Amino acid sequence: MLFTEIKEKQSNLVYPNGYPHDRSLEQIRRKVDNAGIFVLDEQACAMAANVSLTKPTSIIASLPFVKLPAEYTWIEIDNLAIRRATAALGSPNLKTDNAAVEIVRSAFLMYMDVDEAKGRKDLVIEYVHKDRPFSGRLPDGREAVLDLAPVIGRFSLADTDEYTPVDFPTLPRDTSIPTAGKVRQHLNLLEKDPAEAAAWKELWSRFEWRPHPDLRMLARSFASLMGESKVAMVEDDQGDELRRMFVTQILSALILLNCRNAVTTERVPAPERLNKKRLKQKRAPIPEYRTVKVHLSGAAKRAWSERGLSSSQVRDGAFVVGHFKVRKSGIYWWGFHMRGGGPSSTRRIGVITA
């Protein structure tokens, strides 16, 4: 798990100006010590992928009810599970031409902070990811590397129309990119419905990123080796990646965490025996965390069991995830059901109020 790995030394690299690369993680390590840790299992990742394809107007309507479950909230996901889920929904999951590594696991540390220039509280997002090369190993022999992104994100939950358009993919879509299923339906909706297209653009405009203030020394050290233009290019790439991951996955996870009858969290206590061994090895102890799982009613659990459903069948759509609706009093979740028959629910079963 990244919340444990990040506390361990990641690199022995020391830049020519004497700055150790690993020192860039000191601040976020202290924040993680005080964070509520939530790890999405495979079904919860698939559910978040489904929610990301909800009507953008519904997602915007839910924002006033979105609250962090802890002052510092760490949400961790398996990127391979996300790719499996989005592929089942019709995404081609294309690899960019210049990609040298693939992201295998990601974590997002979030907290609220006042933007003094705009006079409002924004959601702040720090992004940790673990990458592995598509072929071979890293120069130092490791199979994967964990690092903090050199950018920090801010997302506005405020109910206001004052958002500055940003440079993101425009509509209509590139029809040469093959899509299918729910992804294609979502893109068709954005092309045909001006209100949904405008809401989609607003979601992306609510997010902004800037160079990470904790990594100024790292940026200077990197620039001394590769030049400032290379630093700017890396920041642009990481900023775009953070925006995409947050808007399409982590915001969905936050909405789900605010629908108590949509997901359930199971406490995983710190392993005392293993931690004693880790302390002897001078390794960081594994803290308590919570696993986020899909919440199933009694009828849905019986249907799952009776049909012998696997996680792949859930992703493929035999088991309909359900959807949320927003009312004046909060977010409501409509229950899960079996496609083509079986238990279903049309009643409002989960509500979060402001």
Side-chain angles (χ1 to χ4, degrees):
M1 298 290 186
L2 299 190
F3 57 83
T4 296
E5 288 186 49
I6 197 172
K7 296 179 184 179
E8 300 176 352
K9 190 169 186 178
Q10 299 298 319
S11 171
N12 292 316
L13 174 64
V14 178
Y15 292 95
N17 63 0
Y19 182 77
H21 180 92
D22 199 69
R23 188 178 294 170
S24 62
L25 299 174
E26 288 179 354
Q27 292 294 328
I28 195 169
R29 283 168 175 155
R30 283 193 278 268
K31 294 171 187 172
V32 173
D33 284 338
N34 298 310
I37 298 171
F38 298 83
V39 179
L40 274 63
D41 74 357
E42 180 150 357
Q43 283 71 45
C45 284
M47 191 176 180
N50 272 273
V51 170
S52 72
L53 298 177
T54 301
K55 288 183 176 180
T57 52
S58 295
I59 292 179
I60 288 176
S62 75
L63 296 183
F65 304 102
V66 171
K67 304 288 187 288
L68 293 177
E71 182 179 1
Y72 285 91
T73 296
W74 173 281
I75 293 182
E76 186 166 325
I77 60 174
D78 179 344
N79 289 72
L80 303 181
I82 291 290
R83 286 199 285 276
R84 287 192 291 270
T86 55
L89 293 169
S91 171
N93 286 335
L94 297 178
K95 178 172 77 71
T96 57
D97 293 336
N98 61 346
V101 298
E102 64 174 337
I103 305 173
V104 294
R105 203 163 185 88
S106 298
F108 302 81
L109 181 69
M110 292 170 284
Y111 46 93
M112 300 301 294
D113 182 61
V114 174
D115 186 328
E116 295 182 357
K118 298 178 180 178
R120 70 183 185 217
K121 268 194 171 184
D122 285 345
L123 181 64
V124 178
I125 309 105
E126 300 188 50
Y127 174 34
V128 175
H129 52 89
K130 186 174 184 178
D131 310 338
R132 69 184 177 197
F134 281 109
S135 60
R137 291 173 176 261
L138 294 160
D140 60 5
R142 288 180 294 169
E143 294 181 352
V145 60
L146 181 154
D147 220 339
L148 172 64
V151 295
I152 192 166
R154 298 184 76 95
F155 183 82
S156 174
L157 297 168
D159 186 13
T160 175
D161 296 328
E162 297 178 2
Y163 296 102
T164 303
V166 294
D167 183 18
F168 50 79
T170 56
L171 298 172
R173 70 181 184 273
D174 182 353
T175 54
S176 67
I177 298 176
T179 58
K182 200 168 182 178
V183 170
R184 182 181 294 171
Q185 293 172 16
H186 185 71
L187 293 174
N188 287 341
L189 172 68
L190 298 182
E191 288 180 346
K192 294 176 181 179
D193 190 327
E196 295 300 338
W200 181 81
K201 291 179 181 180
E202 180 184 325
L203 277 173
W204 287 71
S205 296
R206 283 171 174 260
F207 184 98
E208 62 182 36
W209 64 264
R210 61 193 66 170
H212 201 304
D214 294 346
L215 304 187
R216 291 191 185 98
M217 284 296 298
L218 179 65
R220 292 193 199 114
S221 301
F222 191 66
S224 68
L225 289 176
M226 309 296 290
E228 292 186 2
S229 62
K230 179 67 173 179
V231 172
M233 185 184 75
V234 170
E235 289 177 346
D236 284 341
D237 288 345
Q238 292 276 284
D240 290 342
E241 175 71 13
L242 175 53
R243 175 186 284 118
R244 184 186 65 79
M245 287 292 293
F246 177 79
V247 173
T248 63
Q249 297 296 332
I250 304 308
L251 181 56
S252 298
L254 285 175
I255 291 171
L256 291 172
L257 283 170
N258 280 274
C259 289
R260 297 190 184 98
N261 283 61
V263 296
T264 185
T265 60
E266 295 184 2
R267 174 178 170 268
V268 180
E272 293 184 11
R273 182 177 296 181
L274 178 58
N275 278 344
K276 287 181 181 179
K277 183 177 179 180
R278 291 176 67 87
L279 287 172
K280 288 180 182 178
Q281 298 171 339
K282 296 184 179 180
R283 299 180 65 190
I286 299 172
E288 176 183 304
Y289 66 96
R290 293 184 180 274
T291 301
V292 181
K293 298 178 178 288
V294 174
H295 175 86
L296 300 177
S297 66
K301 287 179 181 177
R302 287 192 296 274
W304 183 304
S305 176
E306 289 169 2
R307 299 197 179 198
L309 283 173
S310 66
S311 59
S312 62
Q313 288 170 308
V314 173
R315 290 195 308 270
D316 292 342
F319 194 76
V320 179
V321 171
H323 58 280
F324 70 86
K325 289 184 180 290
V326 181
R327 296 291 182 262
K328 291 182 179 179
S329 55
I331 307 173
Y332 294 83
W333 190 264
W334 263 246
F336 310 88
H337 64 276
M338 302 300 303
R339 193 180 302 279
S344 64
S345 173
T346 56
R347 65 188 178 90
R348 291 171 289 188
I349 60 175
V351 58
I352 304 299
T353 57

